[in-house]
Each structure stands twice: as C-alpha cells, then as structure tokens.
Amino acid sequence: MSAGIKEYLEKDAVILDVRTLDEWNEGHIKSAKHIVLNLVPLEIEQIKSWNKPVIAVCRSGGRSGQAAQFLKQNGVDVINGGPWQNVDQHL
C-alpha cells in the first residue's frame, strides 16, 4: 500500500481526509483537505475540479475505502491511503 502512497504523492495528489470534524481537530495532515465521508457525494464536482489524483485517508482505512470506491466510480484517480498517519509519515 505505501508504495502507492509514495507514487501518488509524487504525482502531487490531494490528500482527502474523510473523518469527522472532532477527529480532524485532534490532528491531521497540514496540507490535507477535509470533507466528511457523508458529504463526499455532494462535493464530487469540487473534488473533480482539483484535477489531481486523490489519496483518501481516515482513522483506520474503512471510511477512506468507501470514499475511494465512490470517487473511483465517478472517474477520480484515487487510492485508499488508510489511516492518515500512514500518509503523514511519507511527507
């Protein structure tokens, strides 16, 4: 999994954190964008407008997996980065 993360970061991917606001406030990747999982479908146009690959992250990888699946179905180049700390250690 981490090889994918490194590749995506090299492609200037946007890190998308889909955790709750409380979780986000407890700690997050500085450069990440925060869109709570249930709002991702409403924000799909904004996400597509970034025109960049996306690395979805959350606390354990479950919610980011759901987000990644949805985004992929909607034509976004995305991977599930799993827990946000996973991606943070590559930065």
Side-chain angles (χ1 to χ4, degrees):
M1 171 127 73
S2 63
I5 291 171
K6 226 168 129 66
E7 277 167 42
Y8 269 65
L9 288 172
E10 284 164 10
K11 291 198 284 186
D12 200 25
V14 174
I15 300 160
L16 175 62
D17 193 321
V18 298
R19 297 174 301 151
T20 65
L21 186 58
D22 285 348
E23 290 172 298
W24 167 264
N25 289 337
E26 284 168 17
H28 58 266
I29 298 168
K30 246 201 261 202
S31 60
K33 301 209 186 272
H34 181 233
I35 300 176
V36 181
L37 178 62
N38 60 349
L39 297 179
V40 168
L42 302 175
E43 299 293 344
I44 185 69
E45 291 311 317
Q46 182 199 331
I47 294 167
K48 285 179 160 182
S49 76
W50 299 338
N51 236 336
K52 290 185 174 179
V54 173
I55 303 172
V57 297
C58 65
R59 190 171 65 211
S60 66
R63 285 171 288 176
S64 55
Q66 290 176 321
Q69 201 174 2
F70 173 81
L71 292 171
K72 199 167 278 175
Q73 287 167 347
N74 285 274
V76 176
D77 179 9
V78 61
I79 56 167
N80 178 5
W84 69 272
Q85 292 93 336
N86 248 9
V87 177
D88 201 25
Q89 66 193 12
H90 291 284
L91 296 173

Coordinates of all heavy atoms in Angstrom, one line a residue:
M1 N 0.8 -1.2 0.0 CA 0.0 0.0 0.0 C 0.9 1.3 0.0 O 0.6 2.2 -0.7 CB -0.9 0.0 1.2 CG -1.7 1.3 1.4 SD -3.4 1.2 1.5 CE -3.7 0.6 3.1
S2 N 1.9 1.3 0.8 CA 2.7 2.5 0.9 C 3.4 2.9 -0.4 O 3.6 4.1 -0.6 CB 3.7 2.5 2.1 OG 4.6 1.5 1.8
A3 N 3.7 2.0 -1.2 CA 4.3 2.3 -2.5 C 3.4 3.1 -3.3 O 3.8 4.1 -3.9 CB 4.7 1.0 -3.3
G4 N 2.1 2.8 -3.3 CA 1.1 3.6 -4.0 C 1.0 5.0 -3.4 O 0.9 5.9 -4.2
I5 N 1.1 5.1 -2.1 CA 1.0 6.4 -1.5 C 2.2 7.3 -2.0 O 2.0 8.4 -2.4 CB 1.0 6.3 0.1 CG1 -0.3 5.7 0.6 CG2 1.3 7.7 0.7 CD1 -0.3 5.3 2.0
K6 N 3.4 6.7 -2.0 CA 4.5 7.5 -2.4 C 4.4 7.9 -3.9 O 4.6 9.1 -4.2 CB 5.8 6.6 -2.3 CG 7.0 7.2 -1.7 CD 8.0 6.2 -1.4 CE 9.4 6.5 -1.9 NZ 10.1 7.6 -1.4
E7 N 3.9 7.0 -4.7 CA 3.7 7.3 -6.1 C 2.7 8.4 -6.3 O 2.9 9.4 -7.1 CB 3.2 6.1 -6.9 CG 4.2 5.1 -7.3 CD 3.5 3.8 -7.8 OE1 2.5 3.9 -8.5 OE2 4.1 2.7 -7.4
Y8 N 1.6 8.4 -5.5 CA 0.6 9.4 -5.6 C 1.1 10.7 -5.1 O 0.8 11.8 -5.7 CB -0.7 8.9 -4.9 CG -1.6 8.2 -5.8 CD1 -1.3 7.0 -6.4 CD2 -2.9 8.7 -6.2 CE1 -2.1 6.3 -7.3 CE2 -3.7 8.1 -7.1 CZ -3.4 6.9 -7.6 OH -4.2 6.2 -8.5
L9 N 1.9 10.7 -4.0 CA 2.4 12.0 -3.5 C 3.3 12.6 -4.6 O 3.4 13.8 -4.8 CB 3.1 11.7 -2.2 CG 2.2 11.5 -1.0 CD1 3.1 11.0 0.2 CD2 1.3 12.6 -0.7
E10 N 4.1 11.7 -5.3 CA 5.0 12.3 -6.3 C 4.2 12.9 -7.5 O 4.7 13.7 -8.2 CB 5.9 11.1 -6.8 CG 7.0 10.9 -5.8 CD 7.8 9.6 -6.1 OE1 7.5 8.9 -7.1 OE2 8.6 9.2 -5.2
K11 N 2.9 12.4 -7.7 CA 2.1 12.9 -8.7 C 1.3 14.1 -8.2 O 0.3 14.6 -8.8 CB 1.1 11.8 -9.2 CG 1.7 10.7 -9.9 CD 0.6 9.9 -10.7 CE -0.2 9.0 -9.9 NZ -1.1 8.2 -10.7
D12 N 1.7 14.7 -7.0 CA 1.1 15.9 -6.5 C -0.4 15.6 -6.1 O -1.3 16.4 -6.3 CB 1.2 17.0 -7.5 CG 1.0 18.4 -6.8 OD1 1.2 18.4 -5.6 OD2 0.6 19.3 -7.5
A13 N -0.6 14.4 -5.5 CA -2.0 14.1 -5.2 C -2.5 15.0 -4.0 O -1.8 15.4 -3.2 CB -2.1 12.6 -4.7
V14 N -3.9 15.2 -4.0 CA -4.5 15.9 -2.9 C -4.9 14.8 -1.9 O -5.4 13.7 -2.2 CB -5.8 16.5 -3.4 CG1 -6.6 17.1 -2.3 CG2 -5.5 17.6 -4.5
I15 N -4.5 15.1 -0.6 CA -4.9 14.2 0.5 C -6.3 14.6 1.0 O -6.5 15.8 1.3 CB -3.9 14.3 1.6 CG1 -2.5 13.8 1.1 CG2 -4.3 13.4 2.8 CD1 -1.3 14.3 1.9
L16 N -7.2 13.7 0.9 CA -8.6 14.0 1.3 C -8.9 13.2 2.6 O -8.9 12.0 2.6 CB -9.6 13.5 0.2 CG -11.0 13.7 0.5 CD1 -11.4 15.1 0.8 CD2 -11.9 13.1 -0.6
D17 N -9.1 13.9 3.7 CA -9.4 13.3 5.0 C -10.9 13.3 5.2 O -11.6 14.3 5.1 CB -8.8 14.2 6.1 CG -8.7 13.5 7.4 OD1 -9.7 12.8 7.8 OD2 -7.7 13.7 8.1
V18 N -11.5 12.1 5.3 CA -13.0 12.0 5.4 C -13.5 11.7 6.8 O -14.6 11.3 7.0 CB -13.5 10.9 4.4 CG1 -13.1 11.3 3.0 CG2 -12.9 9.5 4.8
R19 N -12.6 12.0 7.8 CA -13.0 11.8 9.2 C -14.0 12.9 9.7 O -14.2 13.9 9.0 CB -11.8 11.7 10.1 CG -10.9 10.6 9.8 CD -9.6 10.6 10.7 NE -8.9 11.9 10.4 CZ -8.1 12.5 11.3 NH1 -8.0 12.1 12.5 NH2 -7.5 13.7 10.9
T20 N -14.5 12.7 10.9 CA -15.4 13.7 11.5 C -14.6 15.0 11.8 O -13.4 14.9 12.0 CB -16.1 13.2 12.7 OG1 -15.1 13.0 13.7 CG2 -16.9 11.9 12.5
L21 N -15.3 16.1 12.1 CA -14.6 17.3 12.4 C -13.9 17.1 13.8 O -12.8 17.6 13.9 CB -15.7 18.4 12.6 CG -15.1 19.8 12.8 CD1 -14.1 20.2 11.7 CD2 -16.2 20.9 12.9
D22 N -14.5 16.4 14.7 CA -13.8 16.2 16.0 C -12.5 15.4 15.8 O -11.4 15.8 16.4 CB -14.7 15.4 17.0 CG -15.8 16.2 17.6 OD1 -15.8 17.4 17.4 OD2 -16.7 15.6 18.1
E23 N -12.5 14.4 15.0 CA -11.3 13.6 14.7 C -10.2 14.5 14.0 O -9.1 14.5 14.3 CB -11.6 12.4 13.8 CG -12.4 11.3 14.5 CD -12.8 10.3 13.5 OE1 -13.6 10.6 12.5 OE2 -12.4 9.1 13.6
W24 N -10.7 15.3 13.0 CA -9.8 16.2 12.3 C -9.2 17.2 13.2 O -8.0 17.4 13.2 CB -10.7 17.0 11.2 CG -10.0 18.2 10.6 CD1 -10.2 19.5 10.9 CD2 -9.2 18.2 9.4 NE1 -9.5 20.3 10.1 CE2 -8.9 19.5 9.1 CE3 -8.7 17.2 8.6 CZ2 -8.0 19.9 8.1 CZ3 -7.9 17.5 7.5 CH2 -7.6 18.9 7.3
N25 N -9.9 17.7 14.2 CA -9.4 18.7 15.1 C -8.4 18.1 16.1 O -7.5 18.8 16.6 CB -10.5 19.4 15.9 CG -11.4 20.3 15.1 OD1 -10.9 20.8 14.1 ND2 -12.6 20.5 15.5
E26 N -8.5 16.8 16.3 CA -7.5 16.1 17.2 C -6.1 16.0 16.5 O -5.1 15.7 17.2 CB -8.0 14.7 17.5 CG -9.1 14.7 18.6 CD -9.8 13.4 18.7 OE1 -9.2 12.4 18.3 OE2 -10.9 13.4 19.3
G27 N -6.1 16.1 15.2 CA -4.8 16.0 14.5 C -5.1 15.6 13.0 O -6.0 14.8 12.7
H28 N -4.3 16.2 12.1 CA -4.5 15.9 10.7 C -3.2 16.4 9.9 O -2.4 17.0 10.5 CB -5.7 16.6 10.1 CG -5.7 18.1 10.3 ND1 -6.3 18.7 11.4 CD2 -5.1 19.1 9.5 CE1 -6.1 20.0 11.2 NE2 -5.4 20.3 10.2
I29 N -3.2 16.0 8.7 CA -2.1 16.4 7.8 C -2.3 17.8 7.4 O -3.4 18.2 6.9 CB -2.0 15.4 6.6 CG1 -1.8 14.0 7.0 CG2 -1.0 15.9 5.6 CD1 -2.0 13.0 5.9
K30 N -1.3 18.6 7.6 CA -1.4 20.1 7.3 C -2.0 20.4 5.9 O -2.9 21.2 5.8 CB -0.1 20.8 7.5 CG -0.1 21.7 8.6 CD 1.0 22.8 8.5 CE 2.2 22.4 9.3 NZ 3.2 22.7 9.8
S31 N -1.5 19.7 4.9 CA -1.9 20.0 3.5 C -3.2 19.4 3.1 O -3.7 19.6 2.0 CB -0.8 19.6 2.6 OG -0.6 18.2 2.7
A32 N -3.8 18.5 4.0 CA -5.0 17.8 3.6 C -6.2 18.6 3.5 O -6.3 19.7 4.1 CB -5.2 16.7 4.6
K33 N -7.1 18.2 2.6 CA -8.5 18.8 2.5 C -9.4 17.9 3.4 O -9.3 16.7 3.4 CB -8.9 18.8 1.1 CG -8.0 19.6 0.2 CD -8.7 20.3 -0.9 CE -7.8 21.0 -1.9 NZ -7.5 22.4 -1.5
H34 N -10.3 18.6 4.0 CA -11.3 17.8 4.9 C -12.7 17.9 4.4 O -13.3 19.0 4.3 CB -11.2 18.5 6.3 CG -12.1 17.8 7.3 ND1 -13.0 18.4 8.0 CD2 -12.2 16.5 7.6 CE1 -13.7 17.6 8.8 NE2 -13.2 16.4 8.6
I35 N -13.2 16.7 4.0 CA -14.6 16.6 3.6 C -15.1 15.3 4.3 O -14.6 14.2 4.0 CB -14.8 16.5 2.1 CG1 -14.2 17.7 1.4 CG2 -16.3 16.3 1.7 CD1 -14.3 17.6 -0.2
V36 N -16.0 15.5 5.2 CA -16.6 14.3 6.0 C -17.2 13.3 5.0 O -17.8 13.7 4.0 CB -17.6 14.8 7.0 CG1 -18.2 13.6 7.8 CG2 -17.0 15.8 7.9
L37 N -17.0 12.1 5.2 CA -17.4 11.0 4.3 C -18.8 11.2 3.7 O -19.0 11.1 2.5 CB -17.3 9.6 5.0 CG -17.7 8.4 4.1 CD1 -16.9 8.3 2.9 CD2 -17.7 7.1 4.9
N38 N -19.8 11.5 4.6 CA -21.2 11.5 4.0 C -21.4 12.8 3.1 O -22.4 12.9 2.5 CB -22.2 11.5 5.2 CG -22.1 12.6 6.2 OD1 -21.1 13.3 6.2 ND2 -23.0 12.7 7.0
L39 N -20.4 13.7 3.1 CA -20.5 14.9 2.3 C -19.8 14.7 0.9 O -19.9 15.5 0.0 CB -20.0 16.1 3.0 CG -20.8 16.6 4.2 CD1 -20.2 17.8 4.8 CD2 -22.3 16.8 3.9
V40 N -19.0 13.7 0.8 CA -18.2 13.4 -0.4 C -19.1 13.4 -1.6 O -18.7 14.1 -2.6 CB -17.3 12.2 -0.3 CG1 -16.7 11.8 -1.6 CG2 -16.2 12.4 0.8
P41 N -20.2 12.7 -1.6 CA -21.0 12.7 -2.9 C -21.5 14.1 -3.2 O -21.6 14.5 -4.4 CB -22.2 11.8 -2.5 CG -21.7 10.9 -1.4 CD -20.7 11.8 -0.6
L42 N -21.8 15.0 -2.2 CA -22.2 16.3 -2.5 C -21.1 17.2 -3.0 O -21.3 18.2 -3.7 CB -22.8 17.0 -1.2 CG -24.0 16.3 -0.6 CD1 -24.3 16.9 0.8 CD2 -25.2 16.2 -1.5
E43 N -19.9 16.8 -2.7 CA -18.7 17.6 -3.1 C -18.0 17.1 -4.3 O -16.9 17.5 -4.6 CB -17.7 17.7 -1.9 CG -18.3 18.4 -0.7 CD -18.6 19.9 -0.9 OE1 -18.1 20.5 -1.8 OE2 -19.4 20.4 0.0
I44 N -18.6 16.1 -5.0 CA -17.9 15.4 -6.1 C -17.4 16.4 -7.2 O -16.3 16.2 -7.7 CB -18.7 14.3 -6.7 CG1 -18.0 13.5 -7.7 CG2 -20.0 14.8 -7.3 CD1 -16.8 12.6 -7.2
E45 N -18.2 17.4 -7.5 CA -17.7 18.3 -8.5 C -16.5 19.1 -8.1 O -15.6 19.3 -8.9 CB -18.9 19.3 -8.9 CG -20.0 18.6 -9.7 CD -19.5 17.7 -10.8 OE1 -18.6 18.1 -11.6 OE2 -20.0 16.6 -11.0
Q46 N -16.5 19.5 -6.8 CA -15.3 20.3 -6.3 C -14.1 19.3 -6.3 O -13.0 19.8 -6.7 CB -15.6 20.7 -4.8 CG -14.5 21.5 -4.2 CD -14.5 21.5 -2.7 OE1 -15.5 21.4 -2.1 NE2 -13.3 21.6 -2.1
I47 N -14.3 18.1 -5.9 CA -13.2 17.1 -5.9 C -12.6 16.9 -7.3 O -11.4 17.0 -7.5 CB -13.6 15.8 -5.3 CG1 -13.9 16.0 -3.8 CG2 -12.5 14.7 -5.4 CD1 -14.7 14.9 -3.1
K48 N -13.5 16.8 -8.3 CA -13.1 16.6 -9.7 C -12.4 17.9 -10.2 O -11.5 17.8 -11.0 CB -14.3 16.3 -10.6 CG -14.8 14.9 -10.4 CD -16.0 14.7 -11.3 CE -16.3 13.3 -11.6 NZ -17.4 13.1 -12.5
S49 N -12.8 19.0 -9.7 CA -12.2 20.3 -10.2 C -10.8 20.5 -9.7 O -10.0 21.3 -10.3 CB -13.1 21.5 -9.7 OG -12.8 21.8 -8.4
W50 N -10.4 19.7 -8.7 CA -8.9 19.8 -8.3 C -8.1 19.3 -9.4 O -6.9 19.6 -9.5 CB -8.7 19.0 -7.1 CG -9.5 19.4 -5.9 CD1 -10.0 20.6 -5.6 CD2 -9.8 18.6 -4.7 NE1 -10.7 20.6 -4.4 CE2 -10.5 19.4 -3.8 CE3 -9.5 17.3 -4.3 CZ2 -11.0 18.9 -2.6 CZ3 -9.9 16.8 -3.1 CH2 -10.7 17.6 -2.3
N51 N -8.6 18.4 -10.3 CA -7.9 17.9 -11.4 C -6.6 17.2 -11.0 O -5.5 17.4 -11.7 CB -7.6 19.0 -12.4 CG -8.2 18.6 -13.8 OD1 -8.3 17.4 -14.1 ND2 -8.5 19.6 -14.6
K52 N -6.6 16.5 -9.9 CA -5.4 15.8 -9.4 C -5.8 14.5 -8.8 O -6.9 14.3 -8.5 CB -4.8 16.7 -8.2 CG -4.1 17.9 -8.7 CD -3.5 18.6 -7.5 CE -2.7 19.9 -8.0 NZ -2.1 20.6 -6.9
P53 N -4.8 13.6 -8.8 CA -5.1 12.3 -8.1 C -5.4 12.6 -6.6 O -5.0 13.6 -6.1 CB -3.7 11.5 -8.2 CG -2.8 12.3 -9.1 CD -3.4 13.7 -9.2
V54 N -6.1 11.7 -6.0 CA -6.5 11.8 -4.6 C -6.1 10.6 -3.8 O -6.1 9.5 -4.2 CB -8.1 12.0 -4.6 CG1 -8.6 12.0 -3.1 CG2 -8.5 13.2 -5.3
I55 N -5.6 10.9 -2.6 CA -5.4 9.9 -1.6 C -6.4 10.1 -0.4 O -6.4 11.1 0.2 CB -3.9 10.0 -1.0 CG1 -2.9 9.9 -2.1 CG2 -3.7 8.9 0.1 CD1 -1.5 10.2 -1.6
A56 N -7.3 9.2 -0.3 CA -8.3 9.3 0.8 C -7.7 8.7 2.1 O -7.1 7.6 2.0 CB -9.6 8.5 0.3
V57 N -7.9 9.4 3.2 CA -7.5 8.9 4.5 C -8.6 9.0 5.5 O -9.5 9.9 5.4 CB -6.2 9.6 5.0 CG1 -5.0 9.3 4.0 CG2 -6.4 11.1 5.2
C58 N -8.5 8.2 6.6 CA -9.4 8.4 7.7 C -8.7 7.9 9.0 O -7.5 8.1 9.1 CB -10.7 7.6 7.5 SG -10.6 5.8 7.4
R59 N -9.4 7.2 9.9 CA -8.7 6.8 11.1 C -8.1 5.4 10.9 O -7.0 5.1 11.3 CB -9.7 6.8 12.3 CG -8.9 6.6 13.6 CD -9.8 6.8 14.8 NE -10.9 5.8 14.8 CZ -12.1 6.0 15.3 NH1 -12.4 7.2 15.8 NH2 -13.0 5.1 15.3
S60 N -8.9 4.5 10.3 CA -8.4 3.1 10.2 C -8.3 2.6 8.7 O -7.7 1.6 8.5 CB -9.3 2.2 11.0 OG -10.6 2.1 10.4
G61 N -9.0 3.3 7.8 CA -8.9 2.9 6.4 C -10.3 2.4 5.9 O -10.5 2.2 4.7
G62 N -11.3 2.3 6.8 CA -12.6 1.8 6.4 C -13.4 2.9 5.6 O -13.8 2.7 4.5
R63 N -13.5 4.1 6.2 CA -14.2 5.2 5.6 C -13.5 5.7 4.4 O -14.1 6.0 3.4 CB -14.4 6.3 6.6 CG -15.5 6.0 7.6 CD -15.6 7.0 8.7 NE -14.4 6.9 9.6 CZ -14.1 7.7 10.6 NH1 -14.9 8.7 10.8 NH2 -13.1 7.5 11.4
S64 N -12.1 5.7 4.4 CA -11.4 6.2 3.2 C -11.6 5.2 2.1 O -11.6 5.6 0.9 CB -9.9 6.4 3.6 OG -9.3 5.3 4.1
G65 N -11.7 3.9 2.5 CA -12.0 2.9 1.4 C -13.3 3.1 0.7 O -13.4 3.0 -0.5
Q66 N -14.3 3.5 1.5 CA -15.7 3.8 1.0 C -15.6 5.0 0.1 O -16.1 5.1 -1.0 CB -16.7 4.1 2.1 CG -17.0 2.8 2.9 CD -18.0 3.2 4.0 OE1 -17.9 4.2 4.7 NE2 -18.9 2.3 4.3
A67 N -14.9 6.0 0.6 CA -14.7 7.3 -0.2 C -14.0 7.0 -1.5 O -14.4 7.5 -2.6 CB -14.0 8.3 0.6
A68 N -12.9 6.2 -1.4 CA -12.1 5.9 -2.6 C -13.0 5.1 -3.6 O -12.9 5.4 -4.8 CB -10.9 5.1 -2.2
Q69 N -13.8 4.2 -3.2 CA -14.6 3.4 -4.1 C -15.6 4.3 -4.8 O -15.8 4.3 -6.0 CB -15.4 2.4 -3.2 CG -15.9 1.2 -4.0 CD -16.5 0.2 -3.1 OE1 -16.6 0.3 -1.9 NE2 -17.0 -0.9 -3.7
F70 N -16.2 5.2 -4.0 CA -17.2 6.2 -4.6 C -16.5 7.1 -5.6 O -17.0 7.3 -6.8 CB -17.9 7.0 -3.5 CG -18.7 8.1 -4.1 CD1 -20.0 7.8 -4.5 CD2 -18.3 9.4 -4.2 CE1 -20.8 8.8 -5.1 CE2 -19.1 10.4 -4.8 CZ -20.4 10.1 -5.2
L71 N -15.4 7.6 -5.3 CA -14.7 8.5 -6.2 C -14.2 7.8 -7.5 O -14.3 8.4 -8.5 CB -13.5 9.2 -5.5 CG -13.8 10.1 -4.3 CD1 -12.6 10.5 -3.5 CD2 -14.6 11.4 -4.9
K72 N -13.7 6.6 -7.3 CA -13.3 5.8 -8.4 C -14.5 5.6 -9.4 O -14.3 5.8 -10.6 CB -12.7 4.5 -8.0 CG -11.9 3.8 -9.0 CD -11.1 2.6 -8.4 CE -9.9 3.2 -7.7 NZ -9.1 2.1 -6.9
Q73 N -15.6 5.3 -8.8 CA -16.8 5.1 -9.7 C -17.2 6.4 -10.4 O -17.9 6.3 -11.4 CB -18.0 4.6 -8.8 CG -17.9 3.2 -8.3 CD -18.9 2.9 -7.2 OE1 -19.5 3.7 -6.6 NE2 -19.0 1.6 -6.9
N74 N -16.8 7.5 -9.9 CA -17.1 8.8 -10.5 C -15.9 9.3 -11.3 O -15.9 10.5 -11.6 CB -17.6 9.7 -9.4 CG -19.0 9.4 -9.0 OD1 -20.0 9.9 -9.7 ND2 -19.2 8.6 -8.0
G75 N -15.0 8.5 -11.7 CA -13.9 8.9 -12.6 C -12.7 9.6 -12.0 O -11.9 10.2 -12.7
V76 N -12.6 9.6 -10.6 CA -11.5 10.2 -10.0 C -10.4 9.2 -9.8 O -10.6 8.0 -9.5 CB -11.9 10.8 -8.6 CG1 -10.7 11.4 -7.8 CG2 -13.0 11.8 -8.7
D77 N -9.1 9.6 -10.1 CA -7.9 8.8 -9.9 C -7.6 8.8 -8.4 O -7.1 9.8 -7.9 CB -6.8 9.4 -10.7 CG -5.5 8.6 -10.6 OD1 -5.5 7.5 -10.0 OD2 -4.5 9.1 -11.0
V78 N -7.9 7.7 -7.7 CA -7.9 7.8 -6.2 C -7.3 6.5 -5.7 O -7.5 5.4 -6.3 CB -9.3 8.0 -5.7 CG1 -10.3 7.0 -6.1 CG2 -9.3 8.2 -4.1
I79 N -6.6 6.5 -4.5 CA -6.3 5.3 -3.8 C -6.7 5.5 -2.3 O -6.9 6.7 -1.9 CB -4.8 5.0 -3.8 CG1 -3.9 6.2 -3.3 CG2 -4.3 4.5 -5.2 CD1 -2.5 5.8 -3.0
N80 N -6.9 4.4 -1.6 CA -7.2 4.5 -0.2 C -5.9 4.5 0.5 O -5.1 3.5 0.5 CB -8.0 3.2 0.2 CG -8.3 3.2 1.7 OD1 -8.0 4.1 2.4 ND2 -8.9 2.1 2.1
G81 N -5.6 5.6 1.2 CA -4.3 5.7 1.9 C -4.4 5.1 3.3 O -3.4 5.0 4.0
G82 N -5.6 4.7 3.7 CA -5.8 4.1 5.0 C -5.7 5.2 6.1 O -6.1 6.3 5.9
P83 N -5.1 4.8 7.3 CA -5.0 5.8 8.4 C -4.2 7.0 8.0 O -3.2 6.8 7.3 CB -4.3 5.0 9.5 CG -4.5 3.6 9.2 CD -4.6 3.5 7.7
W84 N -4.6 8.2 8.4 CA -3.9 9.4 8.0 C -2.5 9.4 8.4 O -1.6 10.0 7.6 CB -4.7 10.6 8.4 CG -4.7 10.9 9.9 CD1 -5.6 10.4 10.8 CD2 -3.8 11.7 10.6 NE1 -5.3 10.9 12.1 CE2 -4.2 11.7 12.0 CE3 -2.7 12.5 10.3 CZ2 -3.5 12.4 13.0 CZ3 -2.0 13.2 11.3 CH2 -2.4 13.1 12.6
Q85 N -2.1 8.8 9.5 CA -0.7 8.8 9.9 C 0.1 8.1 8.9 O 1.3 8.4 8.8 CB -0.6 8.1 11.3 CG -1.2 8.9 12.4 CD -2.6 8.5 12.7 OE1 -3.3 8.0 11.9 NE2 -3.1 8.8 13.9
N86 N -0.5 7.1 8.3 CA 0.2 6.3 7.2 C 0.8 7.2 6.1 O 1.9 7.0 5.7 CB -0.9 5.5 6.5 CG -0.7 4.0 6.7 OD1 0.1 3.6 7.5 ND2 -1.4 3.2 6.0
V87 N 0.0 8.1 5.7 CA 0.4 9.1 4.7 C 1.3 10.1 5.2 O 2.3 10.5 4.6 CB -0.9 9.7 4.0 CG1 -0.5 10.7 2.9 CG2 -1.8 8.6 3.4
D88 N 1.0 10.6 6.4 CA 1.8 11.6 7.1 C 3.2 11.3 7.1 O 4.1 12.1 6.9 CB 1.2 11.9 8.5 CG 1.6 13.3 9.0 OD1 1.8 14.2 8.1 OD2 1.6 13.5 10.2
Q89 N 3.5 10.0 7.4 CA 5.0 9.6 7.5 C 5.7 9.7 6.2 O 6.9 9.6 6.2 CB 5.1 8.2 8.1 CG 4.5 7.1 7.3 CD 4.4 5.8 8.1 OE1 4.5 5.8 9.3 NE2 4.1 4.7 7.4
H90 N 5.0 9.8 5.1 CA 5.6 9.9 3.8 C 5.9 11.4 3.4 O 6.5 11.6 2.4 CB 4.8 9.3 2.7 CG 4.7 7.8 2.8 ND1 5.7 7.0 2.4 CD2 3.7 7.0 3.3 CE1 5.4 5.7 2.6 NE2 4.2 5.7 3.1
L91 N 5.4 12.3 4.2 CA 5.5 13.7 3.8 C 6.8 14.3 4.4 O 7.3 13.9 5.3 CB 4.3 14.5 4.3 CG 3.0 14.1 3.7 CD1 1.8 14.8 4.4 CD2 2.9 14.3 2.2

